Each structure stands twice: as structure tokens, then as C-alpha cells.
Amino acid sequence: MRVIAGKAKGVALKAPEGMQTRPTGDRVKEALFSIIQFDLPLTRVLDLFGGTGQLAIEALSRGAKSAVIVDAGEKPCRVIRENLRRTGMESAGRVIRSDYLDYLNGCKETFDIIFLDPPYAEIFLENALKKLSEIDILESGGIIVAERPVGKELPWNLPGFTRSKDYKYGSTLLTLYRKNGAEDVL
């Protein structure tokens, strides 16, 4: 696992030992960042299920202004901090050890891009999407990127958002939700 492009291109990233995390594969990560490349510069990013921090770090390497990386586990948070140091991104990335719903319930900042790549077998993705549709932490026109396995369905109608088509890469699907702006409400 490595940073694919940008300032930290080629830097190897660590992963926590064991099966607690499932890092996004390079092929899927490359495709994801090709899809959002024009939306990325100078953005504020939230990586809600940090794991290794690789999605937020890739975003920072490619021009995002800042990133908040949330993970509930102590080991993943240590690894994320180490990966931020390895890539020289520690001043732009902030690691928060918290349950994702606890973080969202108390969140007072706004973001331009939110990455959702939780453990596949859980209902975290559905719960996070529901909560994000209820709170106002995504800027108008902002993007939620949801990664999931083929066969796991997501809602087409998420209040306040427009869903893109699904992008399929092997057994992985990427879905983007864009927050509707004030002009879209009319």
C-alpha cells in the first residue's frame, strides 16, 4: 500500500496488524481519485473510517487543504499518525479516536469531501449516510464517497443529495452523493 500521486507519491504506508482493517486497493483508490480529481484541490476532507488513513493522505498528497481522520481503534489511530509523519502530512491531518456516530453527533466543522469506507459486514455505511443526511457538515456541492462490496445496496434517495451512478471495480463499488445546493432546492 502506497501513496499513488502528488507530493507524497510512492511513500509506503503501514497498516495495523490483524484483520481489523481492509485498506482500499490501489486500483480502486486510483479510480476514486480520477473521479474526484477536479473537486479535490484545497478541500477539507473527512475520512470517517480511517483504518490506515490512506484515503485522507492520498487526498492531502493530491492537494486537499486539510483532513480529519476518525477511527475508533487505538492501533489504527497510532498507524494513521505514523502514516501522516511518513508522508510529511502531519500538519494538515488531524486524527480523532472516536466512534463514527459519536463523532458525527458532536461535529461542529464542515467538509467538502467525506470518505466512507467502513467494515463491509457491518451496517456502519447505511447508518453514516442516514446521519449525514440529518446533519449539516457537508458544504453545498460537497461529495460523499461510499465504498462497498458488490451486492450491498445503498439508498437512491438520500434527502438533500443527488446520487451518481455506481462505479464497479472487481468486487468493489464506489458511489458518490453530491449535496444539493441552494439553487437545487427551487
Side-chain angles (χ1 to χ4, degrees):
M1 180 177 51
R2 63 185 172 79
V3 178
I4 296 172
K7 294 181 276 191
K9 180 180 179 178
V11 174
L13 300 175
K14 294 174 79 173
E17 291 183 17
M19 299 300 289
Q20 296 290 340
T21 60
R22 176 205 32 80
T24 299
D26 281 352
R27 181 172 161 241
V28 174
K29 186 167 58 169
E30 181 75 55
L32 162 62
F33 283 95
S34 291
I35 295 166
I36 66 169
Q37 66 183 330
F38 299 113
D39 293 294
L40 195 56
L42 301 176
T43 54
R44 291 165 307 202
V45 172
L46 171 62
D47 189 348
L48 194 56
F49 300 93
T52 63
Q54 73 161 328
L55 294 178
I57 291 169
E58 188 74 35
L60 290 170
S61 182
R62 292 175 183 236
K65 178 171 54 175
S66 64
V68 172
I69 308 165
V70 177
D71 199 285
E74 181 180 336
K75 285 180 185 177
C77 286
R78 271 200 311 265
V79 168
I80 294 165
R81 286 186 188 94
E82 172 62 23
N83 285 336
L84 285 166
R85 276 191 294 280
R86 293 170 138 232
T87 57
M89 306 286 177
E90 63 267 62
S91 64
R94 185 164 38 109
V95 181
I96 297 175
R97 183 174 177 208
S98 175
D99 172 79
Y100 72 102
L101 284 176
D102 290 342
Y103 175 78
L104 290 176
N105 283 325
C107 186
K108 302 287 187 238
E109 35 189 333
T110 60
F111 301 94
D112 303 294
I113 297 174
I114 299 175
F115 295 115
L116 302 178
D117 183 16
Y120 281 175
E122 305 295 334
I123 60 165
F124 299 157
L125 183 54
E126 297 89 332
N127 290 342
L129 284 170
K130 182 178 184 307
K131 178 52 84 175
L132 287 167
S133 73
E134 297 169 353
I135 61 177
D136 193 23
I137 67 166
L138 190 63
E139 293 289 339
S140 179
I143 299 170
I144 297 172
V145 179
E147 181 178 331
R148 69 188 196 283
V150 169
K152 183 174 194 130
E153 295 301 320
L154 292 180
W156 275 99
N157 298 316
L158 189 64
F161 293 85
T162 301
R163 180 178 164 170
S164 76
K165 67 175 186 166
D166 289 335
Y167 299 88
K168 185 176 184 278
Y169 304 96
S171 61
T172 300
L173 290 171
L174 296 175
T175 300
L176 277 61
Y177 291 90
R178 188 173 295 271
K179 185 171 182 186
N180 299 333
E183 65 281 358
D184 298 323
V185 177
L186 300 175

